[in-house]
Amino acid sequence: MGSVPTTAGVGERLSRTCSMTDDVSRLRYVSGARRSAVERLGIRRVRDLLLHIPHRYLDFTHVTDIAHADVGQEATVVATVDKVTLKRPRPRMQVVEVYLLDSTGVIEATFFRQPWIAEQLSQGDVVALSGKVTFSYGFKQMKAPFWEVVGSKGQVGDYARILPVHPVGEGISAAWMRRIVSAALADVGDVADFLPAGTRAARGLMSLARALRQIHFPLTMESKEEARRRLAYDELLCLQLALLARQRLELRGVTPFSHSVDGPHMRALVAAMPFDLTREQRAAADDILRDMASDHVMNRLLLGDVGTGKTAVAAVAMAAVADSGTQAAVMAPTSVLAAQYAQKIGPLLDEAGVTWRLVTGSTDADARAEAAAGLASGEVCVVFGTTAIISDDLEFRRLTLVVIDEQHRFGVSQRAALRSKGAGADLLAMTATPIPRTLALTAYGDMECSRIRHRPKTGAGVVTTCIPPESADLAYGAIREACAEGHQAYVVCPLIDEKDDGSELDDVPEASRSGATRIHSAEATYRELSQRVLKGLRVGLLTGRMGAAQKDEAMEAFRRGDVDVLVSTTVIEVGVDVPNATVMLVYDADRFGLATLHQLRGRVGRGDWEGHVFLECAAKKGTPARTRLAALERTSDGFELAELDLKLRHEGEALGYRQHGGPSLKVVDLAQDEELMGWAREDALKIFSQDPSLAEDVHRPLAIELRDRFGAYFEEVLHA
């Protein structure tokens, strides 16, 4: 039988748990310059350090001798330094060559632009190398491998069988980080577990204290993975609880409205449509109408790739609102897209006898006043607009449906502000950004999802080609040829003007960028193309920094055909529909995520003419940047690209706001943790149904953890 914990032992464990929120400087070895170095890594509290997870491990349980290290494969070898040479083959290029020996052979390690390594390694040092083995000039080689001194004078020291490698920065080495973490685990690592014991046992998860030890200093790679899964589950469960709590806060005290879903306006709208809904569109519409007719508030996300007909499905929901004698509001991220909704859906609503108005930042005072009066009286049933419709001067008589397009482009407060104009209003969020199922389950865990995967009209399709900067003439030639045939073209740039530093282009990891020094700006490119490269063509400019009226006019001129070539930023990414546009050139394409590029290329090839998209990128073939872009040449499946994008970059801010502690998910691997997501969702629903305020004794540690992870946001939710 196990021993019964003493009161003193329990008290000591609680004290260690409370110390997780202490300043990191309370720990051994963290003072002075090392404290500053640790804080530069975003580690300010003890818990930040304990969750500073190693990004790789040297597995000395699988050390290979040099003779048996297979060329072309990853390997870990332990060998003795024989010779260290620093070379300067050309200005500003330093190469350190290190020759190492073991009893079976010789291997050369090469390091580029890291001259300090020559001072850190000496003859006789025993070094562990980990990297891909190549062969050249008669030697096995590793280029820029990870390395660690594990002994000296030919003697191997006492090192762990599995050595963690933590992310580090200037002023702190991997060895010092290991020492600091090890001391922290010894002093405060035996923390109490915030998960209910029943939940942990049902899922077969490690205790928190053991997971923290095994993630940093695992006994086996299998135990490391078990620890990662426990910490990943924690992140997912807390996120799911936060999403459910947000929903509870938004719906507090509201009475759901049950819509009529088979009235005369609905039948008239369906009859007015110039096409029949596809099976997938009909299924999505049925999901929405079923929710709208129910006795609970709808919270649904409609996912659909470019051109899959989400607009037609949304129109069906608006007809149900008209039949119910209430109102609907459609909020789009840009005035261009809001106007496009009005142009597409407005005529259908007119034929169905449904009144509507458009309200954006550029709407003149008289039209805005007329719309406001109609909404207040109930005479106007549907309003299309931007964030302008959440202003105080617009009041609804009875708002029962809120449609938000590209929900992730709005903040939590903006979405809540619109929904607050109609207590108990149903929510339909739509996005054309392909979202993998795992990310949808995580980021939109409080919403039911409907998907439309196939386009009712495929169009002529798009051919995508990656080109180096020196081949830009191919794109220019295609643009001129298209314009000569009466078509139009887009040219997309990542920056607005040359003063921008590109810091906002953060949806692609640095490792996947070409490193090109010049990043194209829309304003400079507009001048160059209109005055020189495409002189003679009518070139227009559209950026997000232009006023609302200017943007509307620029887009309308392009839509009318008064502009041949539109130079733009990604403001055209979502929803802009000009079927006559057949060519697109995207400068610095490696600066964009795959989902963004897929959205952009969806602007061409929408009509009866084939589209051509040129992705200009300075990176060479075989580099991460070009490998990533090659996926766009290979497939047009937005969801496949989204899954790949998810593996290459972080999931983003799932809650729609940025926390002081960085990204909300640090341990979760959305590409492989689908099972954990399902568990977290089920367990969160169970916990929340039993104890929505997390006030019961068994859930109070979990409430403390949620407050710590989500700060004032979750405090507000729990006290709602």
Side-chain angles (χ1 to χ4, degrees):
M1 294 179 63
S3 60
V4 177
T6 64
T7 302
V10 172
E12 183 179 352
R13 196 170 198 194
L14 288 175
S15 175
R16 290 181 174 184
T17 304
C18 292
S19 68
M20 291 277 281
T21 59
D22 288 351
D23 191 279
V24 72
S25 61
R26 68 151 288 173
L27 297 173
R28 283 186 282 163
Y29 311 123
V30 183
S31 61
R34 274 196 295 274
R35 176 183 177 180
S36 298
V38 164
E39 289 180 343
R40 283 195 295 272
L41 294 170
I43 301 171
R44 292 178 172 79
R45 300 181 300 165
V46 172
R47 71 170 291 131
D48 298 333
L49 179 72
L50 295 184
L51 292 175
H52 187 64
I53 308 303
H55 62 91
R56 65 180 299 174
Y57 300 83
L58 288 177
D59 185 0
F60 291 111
T61 62
H62 292 88
V63 171
T64 304
D65 57 43
I66 293 173
H68 294 95
D70 293 335
V71 174
Q73 301 298 315
E74 296 282 335
T76 297
V77 302
V78 176
T80 302
V81 174
D82 181 61
K83 182 181 179 182
V84 180
T85 305
L86 173 60
K87 296 181 177 180
R88 291 183 172 84
R90 60 178 183 270
R92 293 186 294 180
M93 168 61 81
Q94 304 91 13
V95 179
V96 177
E97 294 178 349
V98 184
Y99 289 88
L100 304 100
L101 314 171
D102 70 4
S103 60
T104 68
V106 180
I107 193 167
E108 178 191 0
T110 306
F111 303 90
F112 301 93
R113 294 189 176 92
Q114 301 176 71
W116 56 87
I117 291 179
E119 300 174 3
Q120 295 175 348
L121 291 176
S122 303
Q123 186 179 31
D125 284 344
V126 179
V127 177
L129 296 175
S130 182
K132 187 175 181 179
V133 181
T134 60
F135 189 85
S136 183
Y137 298 105
F139 291 101
K140 288 184 177 179
Q141 297 181 333
M142 285 188 185
K143 293 183 179 178
F146 176 82
W147 63 276
E148 177 106 4
V149 176
V150 295
S152 60
K153 301 186 184 304
Q155 300 298 312
V156 178
D158 182 19
Y159 58 87
R161 290 167 63 82
I162 298 175
L163 197 67
V165 183
H166 296 82
V168 294
E170 182 181 355
I172 188 165
S173 66
W176 262 111
M177 183 62 78
R178 275 195 296 275
R179 184 177 300 179
I180 292 169
V181 172
S182 179
L185 287 169
D187 293 344
V188 299
D190 187 23
V191 296
D193 206 318
F194 59 83
L195 272 189
T199 301
R200 182 161 60 86
R203 299 305 186 188
L205 297 169
M206 276 185 178
S207 69
L208 178 59
R210 185 172 176 227
L212 290 173
R213 165 62 62 179
Q214 291 299 309
I215 198 69
H216 289 288
F217 299 100
L219 295 176
T220 66
M221 294 304 287
E222 289 74 20
S223 65
K224 181 272 294 183
E225 178 57 20
E226 284 185 50
R228 189 201 68 79
R229 283 173 61 82
R230 162 60 207 262
L231 298 177
Y233 172 86
D234 290 350
E235 288 187 338
L236 290 166
L237 178 67
C238 289
L239 179 57
Q240 290 294 320
L241 286 169
L243 290 168
L244 291 170
R246 182 179 75 187
Q247 184 183 52
R248 172 175 172 256
L249 178 63
E250 291 177 348
L251 301 180
R252 179 185 55 179
V254 305
T255 302
F257 182 86
S258 297
H259 291 86
S260 170
V261 296
D262 187 25
H265 292 294
M266 173 73 71
R267 291 190 289 272
L269 182 127
V270 172
M273 286 185 175
F275 51 81
D276 293 329
L277 294 179
T278 66
R279 181 182 57 80
E280 288 183 322
Q281 290 171 336
R282 184 72 256 175
D286 288 344
D287 289 342
I288 294 165
L289 295 177
R290 184 169 56 250
D291 286 351
M292 292 178 69
S294 72
D295 58 359
H296 67 266
V297 176
M298 178 172 71
N299 221 33
R300 185 165 289 276
L301 174 66
L302 178 57
L303 292 164
D305 204 348
V306 175
T308 52
K310 298 182 300 298
T311 303
V313 174
V316 171
M318 295 172 209
V321 168
D323 282 324
S324 304
T326 56
Q327 295 168 298
V330 182
M331 187 165 71
T334 67
S335 56
V336 170
L337 187 53
Q340 192 166 285
Y341 267 114
Q343 291 165 359
K344 282 189 171 183
I345 301 179
L348 292 176
L349 296 179
D350 288 337
E351 291 195 43
V354 180
T355 55
W356 61 272
R357 295 292 184 273
L358 172 66
V359 177
T360 69
S362 60
T363 302
D364 63 55
D366 290 342
R368 185 183 181 92
E370 188 267 338
L375 290 171
S377 68
E379 180 184 347
V380 173
C381 178
V382 177
V383 62
F384 301 98
T386 57
T387 52
I389 64 178
I390 64 177
S391 59
D392 293 338
D393 66 319
L394 289 184
E395 294 293 338
F396 295 81
R397 185 177 68 85
R398 185 68 170 98
L399 178 65
T400 61
L401 174 65
V402 169
V403 180
I404 298 180
D405 195 30
E406 298 299 330
Q407 168 167 275
H408 62 285
R409 291 173 175 263
F410 298 102
V412 171
S413 59
Q414 291 174 314
R415 298 194 295 265
L418 177 56
R419 206 167 185 181
S420 68
K421 288 180 175 285
D426 288 331
L427 173 65
L428 174 61
M430 302 193 299
T431 180
T433 301
I435 300 176
R437 181 183 180 278
T438 51
L439 183 53
L441 182 63
T442 303
Y444 302 105
D446 55 337
M447 305 183 80
E448 299 296 327
C449 289
S450 297
R451 283 178 183 261
I452 307 175
R453 295 191 65 100
H454 302 96
R455 299 183 185 186
K457 179 181 179 182
T458 59
V462 178
V463 175
T464 303
T465 307
C466 291
I467 59 172
E470 57 269 22
S471 298
D473 283 347
L474 291 174
Y476 301 146
I479 290 173
R480 284 194 171 277
E481 183 177 340
C483 292
E485 295 174 355
H487 298 303
Q488 295 162 279
Y490 295 99
V491 175
V492 182
C493 302
L495 302 182
I496 294 176
D497 63 41
E498 293 171 301
K499 296 178 183 177
D500 294 333
D501 61 6
S503 59
E504 74 277 16
L505 301 174
D506 59 358
D507 65 339
V508 182
E510 283 292 336
S512 294
R513 297 182 182 177
S514 65
T517 55
R518 183 199 176 193
I519 305 177
H520 288 76
S521 69
E523 292 183 355
T525 299
Y526 165 72
R527 291 192 296 270
E528 182 179 3
L529 296 184
S530 60
Q531 297 172 11
R532 190 176 63 83
V533 179
L534 298 178
K535 189 174 182 179
L537 295 179
R538 298 168 297 175
V539 182
L541 176 66
L542 175 64
T543 73
R545 201 172 292 166
M546 296 164 64
Q550 286 180 297
K551 285 190 286 189
D552 289 347
E553 175 52 34
M555 196 63 241
E556 188 55 36
F558 188 64
R559 189 179 286 113
R560 288 195 309 262
D562 295 342
V563 169
D564 298 315
V565 181
L566 184 63
V567 179
S568 175
T569 55
T570 54
V571 69
I572 65 161
E573 173 190 350
V574 178
V576 173
D577 186 12
V578 181
N580 192 47
T582 60
V583 179
M584 175 178 287
L585 166 61
V586 182
Y587 280 116
D588 306 303
D590 54 306
R591 295 277 164 172
F592 302 101
L594 292 181
T596 296
L597 290 170
H598 179 65
Q599 286 277 75
L600 285 169
R601 72 174 173 183
R603 302 306 107 217
V604 300
R606 299 171 68 87
D608 298 325
W609 308 280
E610 185 176 63
H612 293 267
V613 175
F614 296 89
L615 303 177
E616 187 260 9
C617 171
K620 304 297 182 184
K621 286 187 177 181
T623 60
R626 280 297 296 271
T627 300
R628 200 169 56 83
L629 296 180
L632 288 154
E633 295 180 294
R634 185 180 68 251
T635 182
S636 60
D637 186 325
F639 289 101
E640 179 184 340
L641 290 169
E643 294 283 357
L644 177 59
D645 217 16
L646 185 60
K647 296 175 183 178
L648 296 173
R649 62 192 182 109
H650 202 270
E651 81 288 345
E653 298 303 323
L655 286 175
Y657 68 101
R658 184 172 294 279
Q659 298 184 77
H660 67 83
S664 55
L665 300 179
K666 296 180 180 179
V667 187
V668 173
D669 183 343
L670 291 177
Q672 72 176 50
D673 286 338
E674 188 169 351
E675 180 184 48
L676 293 180
M677 292 171 207
W679 289 359
R681 176 66 173 165
E682 290 174 16
D683 295 342
L685 287 169
K686 181 179 179 181
I687 291 170
F688 212 71
S689 65
Q690 296 172 349
D691 182 17
S693 296
L694 303 182
E696 296 177 7
D697 288 347
V698 70
H699 296 141
R700 286 169 68 185
L702 185 55
I704 294 171
E705 181 69 16
L706 285 165
R707 287 189 182 98
D708 194 63
R709 286 178 183 256
F710 297 109
Y713 170 82
F714 199 75
E715 192 76 31
E716 174 190 5
V717 169
L718 283 183
H719 285 83

